[in-house]
Amino acid sequence: MSKKNNIYVIGHKNPDTDSICSAISYAYLKNELSQKQEEGAKYIPTRAGHINEETQYVLKYFEQEAPLYVNDIRPQVTDIEIRKTAGIEAGLSLKKAWDIMRGARIVSLPILEDEKLAGIITVSDIAYSDMDVYDNMILSKAGTSYKNIVETIDGEMIVGDLDGEFEEGHVLIAAANPDMMEGYIEPQDMVILGNRYESQLCAIEMDAQCIVVCMGATVSKTIRKMAKEHGCRIIVSPYDTYTVARLINHSMPVRYFMTTDNLITFHTTDYVDDIQEIMAKRRFRDFPITDNQGNYVGMISRRNLLDLERKKLILVDHNEKAQAVDGFEEAEILEIIDHHRLGNIETNSPVYFRNQPVGCTATIITQMYMENDVTIPEKIAGLLCSAILSDTLMFRSPTCTALDHLVAEKLASIAHIDIEQYARDMFDAGSNLREKSAKEIFYQDFKKFNDSNINFGVGQISSMNKEELSACKGKLLPYMEEVRTSYGLDMVFFMMTDIINESTELLMVGEMCKEVIENAFETTVEDSSAELPGVVSRKKQLIPAILGQLS
């Protein structure tokens, strides 16, 4: 199936369990519907970041592969229609290369060695080889094979064999009488001549390496015998002497004329906007493409960029620029399925947008299975249920609705799991915090936001072990300042949420943090930290409170 039919279903950066499981589950649903409707589209679950340990536990439990990792969705060379121009060997003749280019109406041919690009030969290279004046040793300097010579002049080797190359000697035309020929024929020369017995005999006796008999003339048995005794090859060509002399240089191998230095090549993974400037500055018409192993793939030209199609995306569990995969502006967004506040992503055309005030994107996707009368497989049900349990903190979050609870119960039944026990195991797998670095903890679930020209970020971890959460504080605060500086953020917050006690210790860095949080929650900030009883939801409790203060 063509890559043009690929549609990527992707969650937000630093994905959580809902983001990953919703991408897999929605891609499965869309593929089922695509088959029913014979659309031919292929929906691919994708992720824009590292999978945290909680989500890894879920994927392993339900035997699911991690979605394809994509850190930048900009169009790549692999998205261009690459012309599959077949490569040739370096020993091929100029004439054969010309015939191939003329037949295919192309101006460049790649020369390959073990599937690797060794050089490029162009129509211009062949034209220069024909127009430039060479001495009469050019054939031997180029190491021209006898196979090429015979093929180029439509000849037949009647004495000797085709193996080997013409590696030394001149190419001469025997236009004079034998007495004069003795003065300029040297051993190992190649002599082009007619049907004159004396000239043929003279060339052989002067130890010519090869004689080329023109006009298809018959070569006597005596001459053949003499040639064998002297180790001289005999080639008979149907062409006249002028034509043979004109064509014979076309038998030289392309390796002698091909370009090998400073080749401009691109990889299939290169981004189109990175190569456009390079292509514009070069006068070449075609550019070779190689894969990650360095093997030749094909050729592209500037014209191919006109037919470039943007990648197609479906966004799940987010609708804000700061959270979207890099390069999404250059993709075509087809759908957005989300349960967060309306963000700032703009599209070039109308899209299917579904946003519901529920606790989890997976709840919406489960509804869509039911609405389209698609059976939910046991393992997909497990993924969807895991996402709901994670996002709603096992129904403790204020974002949790009756619909989330009802859907999770139904999914648990299909997946054959006990919600209470499974949720505890899942949270335990994700909250092994003591052995993790500050970076690993911080990026388990981190999102950036913008309001009133104020940029801030909020991360969150949840655990059933309060002591484990408290142990993270010392290493998180210094790292948060690094994050704030590197991203150019005004404020960075981090929620350490105690699932059992339904409370959060909020860590913060940034000049405005203390004032914003104390006013928003009527609490006291000490040592860059504040206790927020009853606050467990970033989406419904913390973010609205911060935005309320900023506005």
Side-chain angles (χ1 to χ4, degrees):
M1 183 180 293
S2 171
K3 283 193 172 185
K4 291 183 178 180
N5 294 319
N6 289 348
I7 299 173
Y8 301 92
V9 184
I10 190 166
H12 52 74
K13 293 179 180 178
N14 305 308
D16 57 9
T17 299
D18 185 23
S19 177
I20 296 293
C21 292
S22 288
I24 296 173
S25 302
Y26 195 55
Y28 180 89
L29 171 62
K30 295 295 289 186
N31 281 321
E32 290 293 297
L33 295 175
S34 177
Q35 289 178 12
K36 286 183 179 180
Q37 298 163 9
E38 298 182 352
E39 292 178 355
K42 181 180 180 182
Y43 295 83
I44 301 173
T46 317
R47 59 188 171 94
H50 174 70
I51 297 177
N52 64 44
E53 289 184 334
E54 177 188 285
T55 311
Q56 290 178 30
Y57 172 84
V58 173
L59 295 179
K60 184 177 180 180
Y61 189 96
F62 293 106
E63 299 176 335
Q64 296 292 305
E65 291 186 3
L68 173 71
Y69 173 62
V70 177
N71 67 336
D72 196 321
I73 207 70
R74 286 179 296 162
Q76 294 171 283
V77 171
T78 189
D79 299 312
I80 301 173
E81 198 67 44
I82 298 174
R83 189 174 68 250
K84 306 297 182 182
T85 303
I88 62 173
E89 295 180 353
L92 203 71
S93 68
L94 290 173
K95 181 179 184 302
K96 192 67 176 177
W98 166 258
D99 290 341
I100 292 172
M101 284 191 273
R102 185 173 60 176
R105 295 184 178 181
I106 55 178
V107 297
S108 305
L109 271 179
I111 291 90
L112 306 184
E113 184 177 337
D114 297 328
E115 300 302 317
K116 309 292 185 185
L117 186 70
I120 294 288
I121 189 79
T122 68
V123 168
S124 297
D125 295 328
I126 296 177
Y128 286 132
S129 75
D130 208 35
M131 295 302 294
D132 284 352
V133 177
Y134 296 107
D135 62 34
N136 60 359
M137 290 192 70
I138 185 64
L139 229 65
S140 58
K141 289 177 181 177
T144 307
S145 71
Y146 279 104
K147 181 180 178 182
N148 280 2
I149 295 170
V150 170
E151 183 182 69
T152 302
I153 63 175
D154 288 336
E156 179 186 359
M157 181 81 74
I158 64 171
V159 176
D161 57 64
L162 288 173
D163 294 335
E165 298 176 349
F166 182 60
E167 295 180 313
E168 56 178 311
H170 309 80
V171 177
L172 306 172
I173 298 176
N177 60 47
D179 292 337
M180 292 186 65
M181 286 172 59
E182 292 178 0
Y184 65 82
I185 294 179
E186 298 178 1
Q188 302 303 316
D189 283 351
M190 179 180 292
V191 183
I192 301 172
L193 36 67
N195 65 346
R196 295 178 60 183
Y197 176 89
E198 297 84 355
S199 297
Q200 296 171 4
L201 182 61
C202 178
I204 294 171
E205 289 180 338
M206 296 300 294
D207 291 323
Q209 182 179 161
C210 176
I211 64 172
V212 181
V213 180
C214 302
M215 298 296 292
T218 301
V219 180
S220 70
K221 290 183 179 180
T222 302
I223 293 296
R224 294 188 187 201
K225 182 181 178 183
M226 288 283 293
K228 287 180 181 178
E229 291 174 353
H230 284 74
C232 177
R233 290 177 169 89
I234 299 178
I235 301 172
V236 177
S237 172
Y239 299 129
D240 58 48
T241 306
Y242 166 77
T243 304
V244 169
R246 185 174 63 85
L247 288 177
I248 202 163
N249 275 7
H250 296 168
S251 65
M252 289 184 288
V254 294
R255 64 169 168 262
Y256 193 74
F257 300 94
M258 68 183 187
T259 301
T260 57
D261 297 329
N262 301 317
L263 292 175
I264 306 298
T265 64
F266 301 124
H267 298 287
T268 51
T269 54
D270 286 341
Y271 293 106
V272 172
D273 54 359
D274 291 337
I275 72 170
Q276 278 180 315
E277 186 175 347
I278 299 173
M279 294 175 75
K281 291 180 178 178
R282 302 291 177 171
R283 298 178 61 185
F284 309 136
R285 185 177 297 185
D286 299 307
F287 297 84
I289 305 300
T290 60
D291 61 20
N292 289 333
Q293 286 72 48
N295 294 326
Y296 168 77
V297 174
M299 308 282 279
I300 64 169
S301 64
R302 296 179 188 87
R303 181 179 298 176
N304 293 120
L305 300 182
L306 300 176
D307 300 325
L308 176 67
E309 286 197 12
R310 296 184 298 165
K311 289 178 180 175
K312 297 178 175 63
L313 290 184
I314 293 177
L315 307 184
V316 295
D317 199 33
H318 70 296
N319 72 101
E320 297 204 40
K321 288 182 179 180
Q323 298 171 21
V325 62
D326 289 345
F328 77 93
E329 303 94 337
E330 297 182 38
E332 180 182 359
I333 298 174
L334 303 180
E335 299 182 26
I336 301 175
I337 314 296
D338 193 21
H339 69 123
H340 296 94
R341 70 169 188 149
L342 297 185
N344 51 7
I345 284 182
E346 297 177 359
T347 60
N348 293 326
S349 58
V351 302
Y352 178 81
F353 186 94
R354 183 157 177 169
N355 185 282
Q356 293 178 226
V358 292
C360 183
T361 303
T363 300
I364 305 171
I365 292 174
T366 304
Q367 286 182 291
M368 297 175 77
Y369 270 85
M370 297 174 180
E371 292 164 2
N372 288 281
D373 196 26
V374 174
T375 301
I376 304 176
E378 179 179 332
K379 292 177 180 179
I380 295 294
L383 296 182
L384 291 167
C385 184
S386 301
I388 296 172
L389 294 175
S390 176
D391 253 24
T392 65
L393 300 178
M394 202 167 63
F395 314 126
R396 288 172 167 80
S397 171
T399 61
C400 183
T401 66
L403 181 60
D404 294 302
H405 207 145
L406 181 65
V407 168
E409 294 283 358
K410 180 176 179 63
L411 293 168
S413 176
I414 298 172
H416 301 104
I417 57 175
D418 176 83
I419 283 183
E420 192 76 23
Q421 184 58 52
Y422 174 76
R424 286 183 176 275
D425 293 342
M426 180 182 72
F427 286 126
D428 285 344
S431 63
N432 181 23
L433 304 175
R434 294 183 186 276
E435 299 178 3
K436 292 181 180 178
S437 67
K439 181 178 181 179
E440 290 172 324
I441 297 171
F442 185 84
Y443 283 111
Q444 281 192 189
D445 186 5
F446 174 70
K447 295 180 180 179
K448 291 184 288 182
F449 302 88
N450 174 277
D451 189 81
S452 303
N453 296 319
I454 300 296
N455 298 300
F456 64 99
V458 183
Q460 183 176 25
I461 53 173
S462 302
S463 176
M464 293 185 172
N465 187 328
K466 184 174 178 62
E467 288 71 26
E468 186 178 47
L469 289 170
S470 299
C472 299
K473 181 177 178 179
K475 52 186 174 183
L476 275 173
L477 278 171
Y479 185 72
M480 288 168 61
E481 183 58 43
E482 290 182 27
V483 172
R484 189 184 74 82
T485 303
S486 63
Y487 281 113
L489 300 174
D490 298 290
M491 301 179 290
V492 174
F493 301 95
F494 196 84
M495 300 175 68
M496 299 194 300
T497 301
D498 182 348
I499 298 173
I500 298 298
N501 296 312
E502 299 184 29
S503 66
T504 289
E505 181 177 3
L506 184 67
L507 308 182
M508 63 201 79
V509 293
E511 293 183 4
M512 302 171 59
C513 290
K514 185 175 187 296
E515 180 182 357
V516 168
I517 297 304
E518 287 186 342
N519 290 337
F521 293 99
E522 297 183 357
T523 186
T524 300
V525 175
E526 294 182 359
D527 299 325
S528 301
S529 171
E531 291 291 339
L532 304 180
V535 175
V536 294
S537 171
R538 172 174 52 193
K539 178 184 74 172
K540 196 164 185 177
Q541 294 174 299
L542 185 67
I543 298 301
I546 293 174
L547 294 177
Q549 291 300 312
L550 295 179
S551 61

